[in-house]
Amino acid sequence: LGVASVAGIMGVKRTSDLIPMCHIVQVEGIDLELHLDEKRHSVEITASSAVMAVPGGDGGTYCGEHGGADGV
C-alpha cells in the first residue's frame, strides 16, 4: 500500500499535468485513505486535497479534488 500512497500523492501534485485545461493549483494538504480488500483482490482509495484559492480567479476553471479508484 506504500506505493499506492505515493502514487496518490504524486497524482494530486500533478493534477494540472494530468487533466486537460486544468490550472496549476497550490496544494495545501493531501489526505489519503487506503483500504485493502483481500477477498476482492482490490484496494479502495479515497483521496481529498486542500488547495489555496487564488483571489480574482475563476473557481470554476480550477481542478484539484480527486475521487476514488478501485482495482488498483
Side-chain angles (χ1 to χ4, degrees):
L1 295 181
V3 173
S5 293
V6 172
I9 292 168
M10 292 184 71
V12 171
K13 292 172 78 172
R14 303 221 23 218
T15 299
S16 61
D17 293 331
L18 300 171
I19 300 176
M21 307 288 291
C22 182
H23 291 273
I24 297 172
V25 292
Q26 177 75 33
V27 177
E28 294 286 315
I30 302 167
D31 184 32
L32 291 174
E33 294 180 26
L34 289 83
H35 300 282
L36 180 61
D37 185 342
E38 292 184 25
K39 188 174 183 178
R40 292 179 52 206
H41 304 286
S42 65
V43 177
E44 180 180 324
I45 304 169
T46 304
S48 61
S49 61
V51 297
M52 181 190 301
V54 178
D58 179 8
T61 62
Y62 288 87
C63 304
E65 186 171 306
H66 295 270
D70 59 20
V72 175

